[in-house]
Amino acid sequence: MMNLQSLKNQQTFALDVFARRLIEADSAEKLCTSWQEAHLAGETTIILGGGSNTLFTEDFAGTVILNRIMGYQITEDRDNWRLHIGAGENWHQLVSYTIEDDMPGLENLALIPGCVGAAPIQNIGAYGVEFERFCQYVDIVELFSGDIMRVTDCQFGYRDSIFKHQHHVKYAVIAVGITLPKQWRPVVKYGDLKQLDPTQVTPKQIFDMVCTIRQQKLPNPNITGNAGSFFKNPVVDKIIANNILTRFPNAPVYHQADGRIKFAAGWLIERCGLKGYQIGGAAVHVNQALILINKYQAKPLDIVRLAAYVRAQVFKMFAIMLEPEVCFVVANGEKSAAEVLDRIIV
Ligand code: NAP
């Protein structure tokens, strides 16, 4: 019988789940051959970077390929720094490196767990800055043919991109092109960063402040398993928003360019009284209700049941159905989170 491979260290929820096979790929060729071999053998496959946005709801009955394509290439022209970064590089290490080497811009995105290759897929964002602001291109490989394509129209949205749609199944991100303008402009309009004076502040001060805020508020995945924000912030039309605001006039809301209104999912969950709420070994984080944690030896089903419960409670109180930000992976591959959660009786 084949030895199963532990995925405990391959996903930040640190769940005790297994895969039939685990392969590290340090080049586009290795990614493609591993993927093709698994498919020829009739096995389902999934490609992981840091596993920081993934929930395995059970053991995976196929091959997990770890994208470990490394490398930094940095050039400059008169106005910009241009970075070509391997998809398997660690995101936070890249941010730290650019700040230390006087190439500012990414400071608001410090301490986001995961790999560089995930940044465009998810269009990672924090403290008023999203990845798309600096993305020049994304190199992807078509796994069947090995053909490499450079994508410049990434169709970025809120935690969304073309890499979750047309270029999702059968493609992998292999490198990312980032442009950092030499004329640096601080972004300090968000939360605690507002204390900083935009005319005086340095990139390192913003970087340090973001790191401090995150360390105080968010659970460190190296200590407490979690996958960051579990749900997306819901954006709703005015009728639904007004209904909530009549009952909760102090609800924090953010008006969107299209006239719709964004609510903070963490606030909705907190108002349901769910901070610290626990099912099995899974819990709602006490500092930030948007984060579900592996508090103590959580089983995948604990997290799934907790997510379903949170969604149901928020729906009951606000008539908003939260959409998970985390990707759900079942035994035979990725599955819509809603489909998994809708089957749970709470
Ligand atoms: P927070 O400051 O407590 O704010 C709660 C929510 O309100 C955030 O999700 C944010 O939406 C929204 N918000 C706050 N100020 C805003 C503004 N000036 N304009 C528009 N929206 C605003 O959030 P937090 O949990 O401490 O997180 C801070 C930042 O880190 C946020 O940008 C958050 O997205 C990011 N973060 C992301 C993850 C992840 O896994 N994706 C995990 C932790 C933190 P936005 O999320 O749209 O910014």
Side-chain angles (χ1 to χ4, degrees), residues 11 26 40 96 166 182 186 221 231 246 264 318 338:
Q11 26 93 38
D26 58 6
L40 276 177
S96 306
Q166 287 101 302
K182 289 184 177 174
F231 298 100
T246 312
F318 298 104

PDB file of all heavy atoms in Angstrom, residues 11 26 40 96 166 182 186 221 231 246 264 318 338:
ATOM      1  N   GLN A  11      -0.312  23.630   4.499  1.00  0.00           N
ATOM      2  CA  GLN A  11      -1.457  24.549   4.530  1.00  0.00           C
ATOM      3  C   GLN A  11      -1.463  25.210   5.909  1.00  0.00           C
ATOM      4  O   GLN A  11      -1.152  24.569   6.921  1.00  0.00           O
ATOM      5  CB  GLN A  11      -2.797  23.832   4.237  1.00  0.00           C
ATOM      6  CG  GLN A  11      -2.851  22.347   4.578  1.00  0.00           C
ATOM      7  CD  GLN A  11      -3.373  22.031   5.971  1.00  0.00           C
ATOM      8  OE1 GLN A  11      -4.289  22.697   6.420  1.00  0.00           O
ATOM      9  NE2 GLN A  11      -2.793  21.051   6.639  1.00  0.00           N
ATOM     10  N   ASP A  26      10.384  22.828  -9.103  1.00  0.00           N
ATOM     11  CA  ASP A  26      11.170  24.064  -9.057  1.00  0.00           C
ATOM     12  C   ASP A  26      11.343  24.702 -10.431  1.00  0.00           C
ATOM     13  O   ASP A  26      12.168  25.585 -10.626  1.00  0.00           O
ATOM     14  CB  ASP A  26      12.533  23.809  -8.394  1.00  0.00           C
ATOM     15  CG  ASP A  26      13.322  22.736  -9.127  1.00  0.00           C
ATOM     16  OD1 ASP A  26      12.869  22.281 -10.200  1.00  0.00           O
ATOM     17  OD2 ASP A  26      14.393  22.349  -8.612  1.00  0.00           O
ATOM     18  N   LEU A  40      -2.080  11.226 -16.502  1.00  0.00           N
ATOM     19  CA  LEU A  40      -2.014   9.949 -17.244  1.00  0.00           C
ATOM     20  C   LEU A  40      -2.372   8.785 -16.331  1.00  0.00           C
ATOM     21  O   LEU A  40      -2.988   7.807 -16.744  1.00  0.00           O
ATOM     22  CB  LEU A  40      -0.611   9.742 -17.816  1.00  0.00           C
ATOM     23  CG  LEU A  40      -0.350  10.433 -19.140  1.00  0.00           C
ATOM     24  CD1 LEU A  40       1.092  10.222 -19.571  1.00  0.00           C
ATOM     25  CD2 LEU A  40      -1.316   9.923 -20.214  1.00  0.00           C
ATOM     26  N   SER A  96       9.858  42.633   2.336  1.00  0.00           N
ATOM     27  CA  SER A  96      10.964  43.076   3.205  1.00  0.00           C
ATOM     28  C   SER A  96      12.180  43.466   2.374  1.00  0.00           C
ATOM     29  O   SER A  96      12.810  44.496   2.616  1.00  0.00           O
ATOM     30  CB  SER A  96      11.411  41.959   4.150  1.00  0.00           C
ATOM     31  OG  SER A  96      10.342  41.474   4.856  1.00  0.00           O
ATOM     32  N   GLN A 166     -10.912  31.991 -16.482  1.00  0.00           N
ATOM     33  CA  GLN A 166     -10.395  31.378 -17.736  1.00  0.00           C
ATOM     34  C   GLN A 166      -9.043  30.689 -17.550  1.00  0.00           C
ATOM     35  O   GLN A 166      -8.775  29.669 -18.154  1.00  0.00           O
ATOM     36  CB  GLN A 166     -10.202  32.437 -18.835  1.00  0.00           C
ATOM     37  CG  GLN A 166     -11.453  32.955 -19.448  1.00  0.00           C
ATOM     38  CD  GLN A 166     -11.782  34.316 -18.846  1.00  0.00           C
ATOM     39  OE1 GLN A 166     -11.930  34.423 -17.631  1.00  0.00           O
ATOM     40  NE2 GLN A 166     -11.887  35.334 -19.678  1.00  0.00           N
ATOM     41  N   LYS A 182       9.571  54.816  -9.097  1.00  0.00           N
ATOM     42  CA  LYS A 182      10.590  55.420  -8.214  1.00  0.00           C
ATOM     43  C   LYS A 182      10.019  56.630  -7.471  1.00  0.00           C
ATOM     44  O   LYS A 182      10.479  56.970  -6.390  1.00  0.00           O
ATOM     45  CB  LYS A 182      11.811  55.812  -9.033  1.00  0.00           C
ATOM     46  CG  LYS A 182      12.579  54.587  -9.509  1.00  0.00           C
ATOM     47  CD  LYS A 182      13.849  54.949 -10.238  1.00  0.00           C
ATOM     48  CE  LYS A 182      14.599  53.683 -10.612  1.00  0.00           C
ATOM     49  NZ  LYS A 182      15.769  53.945 -11.448  1.00  0.00           N
ATOM     50  N   PRO A 186       3.004  57.519  -0.491  1.00  0.00           N
ATOM     51  CA  PRO A 186       2.508  56.708   0.632  1.00  0.00           C
ATOM     52  C   PRO A 186       0.987  56.577   0.586  1.00  0.00           C
ATOM     53  O   PRO A 186       0.297  57.496   0.139  1.00  0.00           O
ATOM     54  CB  PRO A 186       2.927  57.527   1.862  1.00  0.00           C
ATOM     55  CG  PRO A 186       3.086  58.926   1.373  1.00  0.00           C
ATOM     56  CD  PRO A 186       3.475  58.861  -0.064  1.00  0.00           C
ATOM     57  N   PRO A 221       0.017  32.352  11.735  1.00  0.00           N
ATOM     58  CA  PRO A 221      -0.279  30.981  11.282  1.00  0.00           C
ATOM     59  C   PRO A 221       0.783  29.960  11.690  1.00  0.00           C
ATOM     60  O   PRO A 221       0.513  28.762  11.705  1.00  0.00           O
ATOM     61  CB  PRO A 221      -0.380  31.105   9.756  1.00  0.00           C
ATOM     62  CG  PRO A 221       0.219  32.418   9.419  1.00  0.00           C
ATOM     63  CD  PRO A 221       0.158  33.284  10.624  1.00  0.00           C
ATOM     64  N   PHE A 231     -14.010  34.850   5.124  1.00  0.00           N
ATOM     65  CA  PHE A 231     -15.080  35.286   4.220  1.00  0.00           C
ATOM     66  C   PHE A 231     -14.690  36.588   3.539  1.00  0.00           C
ATOM     67  O   PHE A 231     -13.874  37.356   4.054  1.00  0.00           O
ATOM     68  CB  PHE A 231     -16.382  35.512   5.002  1.00  0.00           C
ATOM     69  CG  PHE A 231     -16.916  34.267   5.669  1.00  0.00           C
ATOM     70  CD1 PHE A 231     -16.700  34.037   7.023  1.00  0.00           C
ATOM     71  CD2 PHE A 231     -17.644  33.332   4.941  1.00  0.00           C
ATOM     72  CE1 PHE A 231     -17.196  32.897   7.642  1.00  0.00           C
ATOM     73  CE2 PHE A 231     -18.144  32.184   5.559  1.00  0.00           C
ATOM     74  CZ  PHE A 231     -17.919  31.960   6.911  1.00  0.00           C
ATOM     75  N   THR A 246     -30.716  50.958   9.402  1.00  0.00           N
ATOM     76  CA  THR A 246     -31.823  51.421  10.247  1.00  0.00           C
ATOM     77  C   THR A 246     -31.718  50.756  11.615  1.00  0.00           C
ATOM     78  O   THR A 246     -31.953  51.371  12.655  1.00  0.00           O
ATOM     79  CB  THR A 246     -33.175  51.013   9.599  1.00  0.00           C
ATOM     80  OG1 THR A 246     -33.117  51.396   8.241  1.00  0.00           O
ATOM     81  CG2 THR A 246     -34.356  51.684  10.256  1.00  0.00           C
ATOM     82  N   ALA A 264     -18.184  45.333   6.605  1.00  0.00           N
ATOM     83  CA  ALA A 264     -17.052  44.533   7.068  1.00  0.00           C
ATOM     84  C   ALA A 264     -17.601  43.207   7.589  1.00  0.00           C
ATOM     85  O   ALA A 264     -18.352  43.186   8.571  1.00  0.00           O
ATOM     86  CB  ALA A 264     -16.301  45.277   8.160  1.00  0.00           C
ATOM     87  N   PHE A 318     -28.766  39.440   9.378  1.00  0.00           N
ATOM     88  CA  PHE A 318     -28.593  40.557   8.425  1.00  0.00           C
ATOM     89  C   PHE A 318     -29.129  40.274   7.012  1.00  0.00           C
ATOM     90  O   PHE A 318     -29.054  41.137   6.147  1.00  0.00           O
ATOM     91  CB  PHE A 318     -27.101  40.901   8.297  1.00  0.00           C
ATOM     92  CG  PHE A 318     -26.489  41.371   9.586  1.00  0.00           C
ATOM     93  CD1 PHE A 318     -25.666  40.531  10.332  1.00  0.00           C
ATOM     94  CD2 PHE A 318     -26.735  42.648  10.065  1.00  0.00           C
ATOM     95  CE1 PHE A 318     -25.099  40.950  11.523  1.00  0.00           C
ATOM     96  CE2 PHE A 318     -26.165  43.081  11.252  1.00  0.00           C
ATOM     97  CZ  PHE A 318     -25.344  42.237  11.988  1.00  0.00           C
ATOM     98  N   ALA A 338     -19.619  27.275  -1.344  1.00  0.00           N
ATOM     99  CA  ALA A 338     -21.057  27.345  -1.056  1.00  0.00           C
ATOM    100  C   ALA A 338     -21.671  25.956  -1.124  1.00  0.00           C
ATOM    101  O   ALA A 338     -22.484  25.577  -0.269  1.00  0.00           O
ATOM    102  CB  ALA A 338     -21.732  28.283  -2.039  1.00  0.00           C
TER     103      ALA A 338
END
